[in-house]
Amino acid sequence: MFVLSVLLLIAAVALFFTGRVRDEGGWRLGAALGAVGAVLAGLFACVHVVSAYEVGVPVTFGKVGTPLGSGMHLKSPFTDVTTFSTRPVDLDLNDDDVVEVRSSQGGVLYADVTVKWAVDPVRAVDLYRLAGSEDAVQDRLVLPDSREIIRNVFAQHTSEEGYASAREAIGSQIEDRVKERLAPRGIDVTTVNLRNVRPSKQLQEQIDKKIQQEQATERAVEASRTAKAESERKRIEAEGTARANEILARSLSDKVLYNECLDAFREAARSHPVYAVPCGSGSGRTPVIVDGSKD
């Protein structure tokens, strides 16, 4: 715009002198209009409007100035203003942009990550020095740094931790490190969402094989535990039976057996006639009880 104002001013001067030489009013009118245009163009060259949700970085002869907030600002006609949007931006690392990582065991995993970031207006000057333009922020800073940090974090964990047990902790570590890396550069990272982690085909086969081995081991351990418990049960049962027989053998004396026979005889005599038949001769032989009501 400043160049246009200079050109209009030159044209107005040329028309003015041409009108004086030819003494014609049309040339002078053209000169006046050219002068007005030059003034207006000069004014526009000294005014810059920063839109809402944007921040401007003024540069005058290579010197970076103070960031400009939203609104109208006066500036030198020799100052260029580079604007950056402060609206949140989503960087989706999935599909073709999915991050291929390796665990501490060397297993290959694929991580789907979304990084939500925005330009920090206060640090817009630092961002300008690093990126130079709004389009270069994501390609030069956010994307490569995020990929590097994601790979570094996964490399500190095993494959199982990466896709299962420590996934939430890994997501938190990635978010903290991305924020720490990009904040000094003028990029405010809101969230880093580790949406999905899937193993490679080769790693998945290894995982399935390991699961099968673990299940077989668990079944073998359970069978051994069951057999041991059954053996212990039988041992305890046998010991109990043996002790009972031992106690019974000690308690069954001739006198005890004789008394038992007498008690049985008395009980039978209450309901129907019975008679006792000695079982042999001698005091050591027990009698035989015979029911007299039966033939």
Side-chain angles (χ1 to χ4, degrees), residues 1-2 37-48 73 75:
M1 189 65 69
F2 177 71
V39 172
L40 292 177
L43 290 176
F44 279 112
C46 296
V47 174
H48 183 83
H73 302 272
K75 66 179 185 66

Side-chain angles (χ1 to χ4, degrees), residues 24-288:
E24 294 180 2
W27 293 96
R28 294 177 180 176
L29 179 61
L33 293 176
V36 173
V39 172
L40 292 177
L43 290 176
F44 279 112
C46 296
V47 174
H48 183 83
V49 177
V50 179
S51 303
Y53 301 103
E54 286 187 350
V55 60
V57 178
V59 180
T60 306
F61 297 118
K63 183 179 180 181
V64 181
T66 304
L68 305 177
S70 301
M72 182 180 295
H73 302 272
L74 295 177
K75 66 179 185 66
S76 167
F78 302 102
T79 299
D80 293 328
V81 178
T82 302
T83 58
F84 295 89
S85 175
T86 57
R87 295 180 184 274
V89 180
D90 287 344
L91 172 61
D92 293 322
L93 300 177
N94 52 25
D95 297 332
D96 294 338
D97 295 326
V98 66
V99 184
E100 180 179 319
V101 300
R102 289 186 178 273
S103 67
S104 59
Q105 301 168 323
V108 178
L109 302 166
Y110 299 101
D112 293 344
V113 182
T114 297
V115 181
K116 185 179 289 294
W117 63 275
V119 173
D120 183 1
V122 178
R123 296 182 175 272
V125 172
D126 298 328
L127 188 61
Y128 174 80
R129 291 193 177 102
L130 292 171
S133 65
E134 180 180 0
D135 296 335
V137 173
Q138 180 164 290
D139 294 336
R140 294 183 181 178
L141 300 177
V142 182
L143 178 59
D145 286 4
S146 298
R147 283 182 172 274
E148 177 187 350
I149 291 172
I150 293 170
R151 292 191 179 101
N152 291 340
V153 172
F154 270 95
Q156 299 174 359
H157 296 269
T158 63
S159 300
E160 182 180 358
E161 292 173 343
Y163 68 84
S165 59
R167 179 172 163 181
E168 183 176 351
I170 290 175
S172 298
Q173 292 177 22
I174 293 173
E175 180 173 346
D176 294 341
R177 295 189 184 185
V178 171
K179 288 181 177 180
E180 183 180 358
R181 173 79 65 84
L182 296 180
R185 302 181 180 183
I187 300 173
D188 181 20
V189 177
T190 307
T191 57
V192 177
N193 183 16
L194 181 59
R195 298 185 302 171
N196 186 35
V197 179
R198 54 185 175 86
S200 62
K201 183 178 180 180
Q202 181 179 3
L203 180 59
Q204 185 63 56
E205 293 176 353
Q206 296 175 357
I207 293 171
D208 294 339
K209 185 177 180 180
K210 181 179 179 181
I211 292 175
Q212 293 175 359
Q213 292 174 346
E214 290 177 350
Q215 291 175 347
T217 301
E218 290 177 358
R219 288 194 295 268
V221 171
E222 184 62 25
S224 176
R225 187 183 298 112
T226 302
K228 184 177 180 180
E230 182 65 17
S231 176
E232 183 68 14
R233 184 190 66 80
K234 290 182 178 180
R235 184 186 65 80
I236 295 174
E237 182 179 355
E239 290 178 355
T241 302
R243 285 197 298 269
N245 291 334
E246 183 180 353
I247 294 172
L248 182 62
R250 287 198 303 265
S251 64
L252 291 178
S253 63
D254 293 340
K255 186 176 181 180
V256 171
L257 291 175
Y258 184 76
N259 290 333
E260 291 291 334
C261 289
L262 292 178
D263 291 340
F265 176 78
R266 292 191 188 97
E267 184 66 26
R270 292 175 183 174
S271 57
H272 49 269
V274 296
Y275 61 91
V277 178
C279 184
S281 62
S283 60
R285 307 302 294 270
T286 60
V288 177

